[in-house]
Each structure stands twice: as C-alpha cells, then as structure tokens.
Amino acid sequence: MIGRLRSTVIDCPDPRALAGFYAELLGLPLMEEDSEGNEWVVLGGPPGHQPRLAFQRAPDLRPPDWPDPERPQQLHLDVTVDDIEAAERAVLALGARRLPGEGEGFRVYADPVGHPFCLCWD
C-alpha cells in the first residue's frame, strides 16, 4: 500500500450548499474544523476515517450531462438504500433530480449541482 484515501472531493459552485445535500443524504456530520469557509467544506470524520467527502469551490464548473459523452460523469457515488421509493422521494425533496438510466438494483440521479449518483438496493 502506498497511501490511504483521505477524502473524495467534489467540485461545485457552492460547497456549503452541496455539503448540506450530502449530509442529509448520507448522514455524515459537517467537520467545521477541517473546513475553510465556503471554499472547502468537509463531511465525515477526521482524516483516515471513512467515509469522508470534501467539497471544493469551482465557480465556473461545467457539470456532467448524463448520459452525454461530451460531458461525462467523471465520478459518481453509489448509495445503498433499504427502500428505493422512500429514498427517491427524500433525495428529490432535497433538490436531486432523476436522470435517464437504471438497471437491476440501481437508479441514476443528479445532485443539486448536476453530479450523477446512484441509489442502489439489493
């Protein structure tokens, strides 16, 4: 092993707002001591404790346009849920939107900034 994953970082125009979306979606606490105003916001635990998501200010972000290959998704999160219908209602109420595409055990959504993520179930 060369190293350990510290954080998964998501670029966005408003880090604090998008962190709020993911805090509700994943139940991760805001790590104010690791955050820097509205330029860098961290959810999760201290470094080395997973999961840990960080949000970095990118005012000119061109979000992915699923499933357009001209603006690919770049990365996405898979989130396991117990009840897909209840989870879908909850993420839509938080500002997510449903995207084309689903398969056996997953549906595709975009967060409020446009990053794709999947709700998955077994």
Side-chain angles (χ1 to χ4, degrees):
M1 177 176 74
I2 294 172
R4 295 181 316 277
L5 179 66
R6 179 182 180 93
S7 301
T8 299
V9 181
I10 300 174
D11 287 354
C12 57
D14 185 346
R16 201 156 289 276
L18 194 57
F21 172 85
Y22 280 102
E24 287 292 322
L25 176 62
L26 301 173
L28 294 174
L30 173 66
M31 300 298 295
E32 197 65 61
E33 63 275 10
D34 292 340
S35 299
E36 297 174 13
N38 197 34
E39 298 296 313
W40 178 265
V41 179
V42 178
L43 299 178
H49 293 81
Q50 302 301 328
R52 185 175 160 97
L53 286 176
F55 303 86
Q56 177 175 276
R57 185 167 156 69
D60 298 324
L61 177 75
R62 276 190 69 203
D65 189 15
W66 173 270
D68 183 356
E70 293 297 315
R71 289 177 42 201
Q73 65 180 332
Q74 301 158 18
L75 90 107
H76 76 274
L77 301 176
D78 286 344
V79 179
T80 300
V81 299
D82 292 325
D83 179 341
I84 183 58
E85 300 305 331
E88 178 172 278
R89 286 190 299 275
V91 298
L92 295 176
L94 287 172
R97 61 186 163 84
R98 182 87 183 267
L99 295 176
E102 66 181 88
E104 188 174 325
F106 74 93
R107 292 182 189 165
V108 184
Y109 302 82
D111 69 23
V113 176
H115 302 101
F117 69 95
C118 294
L119 295 180
C120 305
W121 64 95
D122 295 326

